[in-house]
């Protein structure tokens, strides 16, 4: 089979690496790809948002299966466009992708179907939002842009003054330029965050292994939100008991709700969860594999990845089981200093004697004059597997030191929270 993967990040590099192991796949393409994906697949220089050109390419190359992972092409209806022409895709339709592309859609869905989430109100007019905030006495409070915002559309305000500034930037200056002034204002939830990626065919839902992202740019979860600076998998706070509650109260009700709304969800449905003292609650849905969660999860997967993606598309997920190694994986993101705001690119990347088992995924990389160079905010993901958190974290940070480029920046505390639990001997 000929398979095309859409995207250009480390997540797509990881997906390609594990698809390549499938005996069914004869040729892989990545559109547009990066310097790392070039090793696994043929890179195709077409924009991820040009549905017409992608369709033409898929027809010309007789592509048998397309994996659509990034949020923008999904919200842009790429799956609808290809499947209309009988090209099978892994990923949700445009209508189902609203679960991520519109926070108002997601929050209304959860309210209607009683899925636990933070209390909220939605607003389209800044004056009304400000009136609501003036009456609010509980801070911090969370303000979210309705549309896709590259993971930057969430603002946590500690006072009315900060909230007023957030309203100004989200609604008046329309900071994320997504054509909508809509925002959600919601209750601040306290607890441990868990990323749960699940695979669904619209009827059956199967969770992958749990993980913990580190979204803030700086150590101790400080600084601006990023796409994610590192991951530990599994997430030791996500116990069997919590998993059962999530399945019954969150995962299955969400799949049923999407069916009832006339937009069954097929693909990877990502649940961003907060484990609060009142039980697990949904912070956000993503309509796709998480990045960098995928980079820590796929190295632990025992089952053939392609068979999972195909079972979702063919609506046969019930027939397969998804298995994982009984190990831990730590993934540290090497970024360009200044990310997620201003940063420079174009610096040469050097690798010095990495261990054979170290797993490297490229994000913002490209070849310039035959040299591997930095080409984005998040540059390289470094992952190591081990029997426990301590070894996987130690090994990963040893390898991080062997990769160098100007302005290299990374968080030094990835996995620290998992380690606290491991060291305290709490049985998880
Ligand atoms: P989102 O893009 O919705 O995942 O939000 C980005 C990050 O903001 C989350 O990973 C949380 O750390 C934080 N966040 C979002 N919503 C809330 C909330 N209601 N309470 C506390 N933190 C939140
Ligand atoms: N790592 C969070 C996300 O993929 O949105």
């Amino acid at each position: 089979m000929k398979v095309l993967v859409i995207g250009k990040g480390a997540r797509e590099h990881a997906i390609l690496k594990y698809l390549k192991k499938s005996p069914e796949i004869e040729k892989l393409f990545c559109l547009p790809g990066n310097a790392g994906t070039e090793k696994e697949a043929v890179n195709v220089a077409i924009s991820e948002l040009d549905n017409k050109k992608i369709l033409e390419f898929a027809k010309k190359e007789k592509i048998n299966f397309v994996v659509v992972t990034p949020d923008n092409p999904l919200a842009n209806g790429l799956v609808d466009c290809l499947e209309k022409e009988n090209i099978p895709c892994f990923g949700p339709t445009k209508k189902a992708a609203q679960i991520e592309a519109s926070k108002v859609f997601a929050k209304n869905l959860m309210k209607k179907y009683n899925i636990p989430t933070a209390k909220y109100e939605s607003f389209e007019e800044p004056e009304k939002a400000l009136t609501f905030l003036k009456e609010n006495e509980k801070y911090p409070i969370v303000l979210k842009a309705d549309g896709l915002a590259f993971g930057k559309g969430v603002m946590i305000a500690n006072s009315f003054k900060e909230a007023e500034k957030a309203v100004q930037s989200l609604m008046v200056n329309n900071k994320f330029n997504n054509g909508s002034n809509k925002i959600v204002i919601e209750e601040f939830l306290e607890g441990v965050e868990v990323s749960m990626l699940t695979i669904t065919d619209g009827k059956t839902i199967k969770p992958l292994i749990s993980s913990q992202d580190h979204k803030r740019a700086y150590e101790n979860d400080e600084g601006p939100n990023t796409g994610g600076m590192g991951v530990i998998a599994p997430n030791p706070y996500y116990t069997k008991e919590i998993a059962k509650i999530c399945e019954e109260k969150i995962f299955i009700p969400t799949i049923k709700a999407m069916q009832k709304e006339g937009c069954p969800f097929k693909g990877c449905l990502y649940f961003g969860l907060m484990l609060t003292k009142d039980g697990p609650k949904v912070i956000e849905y993503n309509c796709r594999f998480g990045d960098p969660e995928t980079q820590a999860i796929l190295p632990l997967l025992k089952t053939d990845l392609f068979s999972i993606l195909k079972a979702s598309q063919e609506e046969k997920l019930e027939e397969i089981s998804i298995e994982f190694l009984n190990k831990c994986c730590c993934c540290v993101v090497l970024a360009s200093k200044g990310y997620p705001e201003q940063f420079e690119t174009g610096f040469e990347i050097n690798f010095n004697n990495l261990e054979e088992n170290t797993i490297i995924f490229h994000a913002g990389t490209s070849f310039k004059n035959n040299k591997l160079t930095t080409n984005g905010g998040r540059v390289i993901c470094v992952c190591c597997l081990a029997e426990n958190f301590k070894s996987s974290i130690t090994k990963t940070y040893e390898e991080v030191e062997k990769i160098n480029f100007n302005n290299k920046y990374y968080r030094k505390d990835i996995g620290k929270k998992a380690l606290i639990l491991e060291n305290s001997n709490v049985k998880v």
Side-chain angles (χ1 to χ4, degrees):
M1 294 197 43
K2 287 182 172 180
V3 176
L4 169 65
V5 174
I6 308 290
K8 55 176 178 288
R11 168 184 56 196
E12 285 73 25
H13 190 190
I15 290 171
L16 286 163
K17 228 174 191 159
Y18 294 94
L19 284 179
K20 209 170 178 181
K21 293 183 193 288
S22 172
E24 272 187 87
I25 297 181
E26 163 199 328
K27 192 162 184 189
L28 281 167
F29 296 88
C30 187
L31 183 155
N34 60 36
T37 64
E38 220 172 284
K39 287 216 185 100
E40 323 289 342
V42 176
N43 281 352
V44 183
I46 295 177
S47 155
E48 298 154 286
L49 295 177
D50 195 336
N51 289 358
K52 198 165 153 254
K53 280 212 179 121
I54 297 174
L55 176 63
E56 273 169 23
F57 172 80
K59 279 184 167 170
K60 188 178 103 223
E61 286 292 338
K62 298 197 170 51
I63 300 288
N64 306 100
F65 196 86
V66 183
V67 183
V68 189
T69 32
D71 48 9
N72 276 316
L74 289 165
N76 194 36
L78 181 57
V79 168
D80 309 59
C81 164
L82 296 172
E83 291 214 320
K84 210 163 77 190
E85 299 283 331
N86 298 317
I87 301 169
C89 294
F90 175 82
T93 59
K94 180 175 181 165
K95 204 170 166 201
Q98 277 186 99
I99 201 162
E100 174 173 3
S102 167
K103 299 263 189 216
V104 175
F105 174 89
K107 295 298 288 190
N108 290 347
L109 186 88
M110 288 186 265
K111 192 185 226 173
K112 184 166 169 188
Y113 294 93
N114 260 324
I115 297 164
T117 188
K119 287 196 204 86
Y120 75 103
E121 296 282 340
S122 51
F123 298 93
E124 290 192 47
E125 291 156 45
E127 297 74 26
K128 289 199 175 147
L130 289 173
T131 308
F132 171 83
L133 287 166
K134 267 182 201 143
E135 284 159 18
N136 171 60
E137 282 165 9
K138 247 177 121 185
Y139 283 93
I141 199 161
V142 185
L143 297 95
K144 298 184 173 184
D146 179 50
L148 296 176
F150 305 103
K152 297 181 200 162
V154 174
M155 299 190 178
I156 296 171
N158 290 305
S159 62
F160 173 72
K161 232 179 160 167
E162 282 182 25
E164 199 178 18
K165 250 170 91 182
V167 167
Q168 178 75 23
S169 100
L170 292 174
M171 300 183 88
V172 182
N173 305 344
N174 201 351
K175 191 168 171 196
F176 297 102
N177 201 18
N178 52 27
S180 158
N181 290 331
K182 279 192 220 162
I183 63 162
V184 166
I185 301 185
E186 70 178 30
E187 168 199 12
F188 179 80
L189 297 177
E190 275 180 271
V192 172
E193 281 191 60
V194 179
S195 301
M196 273 308 299
L197 277 60
T198 66
I199 304 291
T200 165
D201 61 5
K203 302 172 292 191
T204 304
I205 182 159
K206 300 221 163 159
L208 301 181
I209 204 163
S210 61
S211 57
Q212 184 167 44
D213 191 10
H214 297 68
K215 286 211 172 88
R216 301 293 199 94
Y218 314 138
E219 270 113 47
N220 301 316
D221 297 329
E222 284 173 12
N225 260 321
T226 68
M229 296 299 294
V231 174
I232 193 95
N235 184 328
Y237 294 85
Y238 191 76
T239 59
K240 284 204 176 100
E241 293 71 36
I242 293 172
K244 191 162 178 280
I245 299 171
C246 290
E247 204 142 322
E248 286 168 5
K249 298 215 158 131
I250 297 176
F251 303 163
I252 295 169
T254 301
I255 291 306
K256 287 195 173 152
M258 291 298 275
Q259 280 171 11
K260 287 207 181 110
E261 292 299 305
C263 46
F265 190 99
K266 286 169 69 171
C268 177
L269 183 53
Y270 166 135
F271 296 82
L273 304 170
M274 187 74 89
L275 308 183
T276 75
K277 64 176 177 20
D278 304 319
K281 294 190 180 178
V282 178
I283 302 178
E284 64 158 349
Y285 291 117
N286 288 328
C287 65
R288 52 171 174 84
F289 280 103
D291 184 349
E293 285 90 339
T294 306
Q295 293 89 296
I297 290 173
L298 293 186
L300 293 166
L301 181 67
K302 277 208 280 188
T303 312
D304 173 57
L305 176 63
F306 189 47
S307 68
I308 301 172
L309 305 188
K310 248 182 6 178
S312 159
Q313 194 279 329
E314 291 170 357
E315 299 178 22
K316 289 181 181 163
L317 202 58
E318 204 181 15
E319 293 172 18
I320 66 160
S321 75
I322 304 180
E323 298 193 9
F324 288 89
L325 297 170
N326 193 15
K327 290 191 176 185
C328 305
C329 185
C330 175
C331 164
V332 174
V333 174
L334 306 187
S336 302
K337 196 174 120 211
Y339 169 76
E341 272 123 30
Q342 303 290 321
F343 53 84
E344 283 180 67
T345 59
F347 300 116
E348 192 178 337
I349 307 168
N350 290 301
F351 294 87
N352 302 309
N353 297 322
L354 295 183
E355 296 295 321
E356 203 184 318
N357 292 334
T358 303
I359 307 166
I360 298 294
F361 300 118
H362 289 229
T365 63
S366 67
F367 282 110
K368 221 165 76 181
N369 304 327
N370 281 330
K371 286 193 173 134
L372 183 67
T373 55
T374 63
N375 187 37
R378 292 189 289 180
V379 179
I380 297 271
C381 289
V382 188
C383 309
C384 289
L385 296 185
E387 301 304 321
N388 55 38
F389 292 120
K390 188 163 184 257
S391 315
S392 69
I393 294 166
T394 310
K395 274 168 74 177
T396 307
Y397 278 106
E398 276 168 14
E399 297 302 274
V400 159
E401 293 306 320
K402 300 178 186 169
I403 303 169
N404 292 305
F405 53 88
N406 278 353
N407 290 0
K408 175 175 109 174
Y409 171 76
Y410 60 93
R411 267 180 67 164
K412 299 191 175 59
D413 63 346
I414 304 301
K416 193 172 159 191
K417 282 177 263 178
L419 213 50
I420 292 171
L421 212 54
E422 188 168 83
N423 288 342
S424 70
N425 282 329
V426 175
K427 191 138 180 53
V428 291

